[in-house]
Amino acid sequence: MNSLRGTTTGEDIFKEVEEMLTKYNLKWNQLKCVTTDGGKNMSGTGKGLVGSIYTACENARCTRPMVIHCIIHQHVLCGKYLNLSCVLEPVVSTVNFIRSRGLNHRQFRDFLSEVEAEYPDLPYHTAVRWLSSGKVLLRFFELRAEIEIFLNEKKRPQPLLSNTEWLWKLAFAADIMGFLNGFNLKLQGKTVLICETYTAVKSFRRQLALIESQIMSSCFVHFPCCQTLKEEVDSPFPHEFAGDIFSELKKQFQ
C-alpha cells in the first residue's frame, strides 16, 4: 500500500504504481489484472491509470492486463439505472425544504418530539452516497403522516402524500432500495473473498426472481413498507411500475 499526497490524477497514481514495480523488481508482463472503481482517473483509457498501464505494456511489448470493475461499485451502478425519479424527486424536494432551512428543521424536530414520533429527524439525501437513498425513502415513508401535517401547517402542502397510488410507489421504492442496501453490505468487509461476493451476486439474482413473483401476486412478506400500506389503503398495488423496476434490475445484474 502506498499513500498519495496532493493530487490523485491518473498520472499521479500511475507514477506511484510504476515506482513500486521498480522497487520490488516486478515487470509489466507479470501484471495480469487491474480492478478499478470506475472513476475517470482510474478507468480512463486516455490519461487514466488504465490508459497509462496499457501504454506501459505496449512499450514493454507484453499483453495488456485484464481490467475489471470493482464488484461493489458495479452493484451501485446497477442500482442507479432504476427509474425512481417519480418518487425520489418529490421526497428529496420535501426533505430539502425541511432540512435546508434552520427554522424549518428546528420546528420539524420539535413537532416530532411533541407528537412522540418514532424517529426524531429526517436524514439528508446525498447523491454521492448512493445508499442514503434507501434510508431517506424508508424514514420518509415511516414519517409520512407527520410530514404531511407539518407541511400543511407551513402552508406548503404536498398533494402526493394523500395520493394512494404514489404512496404505493413510495413504499415499494423504500423496500426495494432497502433490499439493495442489504445486499450491498453483504459484499463489504475485509474478510470477504471474491468467491463469496460472486456467490452472493448469484444468490441475489435468484432472490430477485422469487420476490418478483411474490410482489406480482401481492404477497409482501419481504416488503414491510408495502405490507404496512396494504393494511391502510384499499387501492391496488401498481404492478406495472414494480414490474418495470424488476425487469431493469434483472437486466443490469445479469
Side-chain angles (χ1 to χ4, degrees), residues 210-249:
L210 171 64
I211 64 172
E212 180 184 20
S213 64
Q214 291 177 335
I215 287 292
M216 290 309 164
S217 60
S218 297
C219 173
F220 305 120
V221 64
H222 292 110
F223 276 41
C225 292
C226 289
Q227 182 61 42
T228 297
L229 194 63
K230 180 182 179 181
E231 298 169 359
E232 297 178 3
V233 301
D234 297 325
S235 59
F237 178 79
H239 291 92
E240 184 177 351
F241 174 76
D244 291 341
I245 297 297
F246 277 116
S247 296
E248 192 60 42
L249 266 180

Side-chain angles (χ1 to χ4, degrees), residues 166-177:
W166 185 82
L167 287 174
W168 268 122
K169 292 180 179 179
L170 170 64
F172 175 76
D175 281 331
I176 197 68
M177 291 299 287

Side-chain angles (χ1 to χ4, degrees), residues 1-12:
M1 300 295 292
N2 211 40
S3 299
L4 283 173
R5 294 175 177 82
T7 57
T8 55
T9 65
E11 294 172 348
D12 294 329

Side-chain angles (χ1 to χ4, degrees), residues 32-51:
K32 301 303 179 184
C33 183
V34 177
T35 307
T36 72
D37 63 358
K40 289 184 178 180
N41 63 334
M42 292 292 289
S43 59
T45 53
K47 294 184 178 180
L49 173 65
V50 170

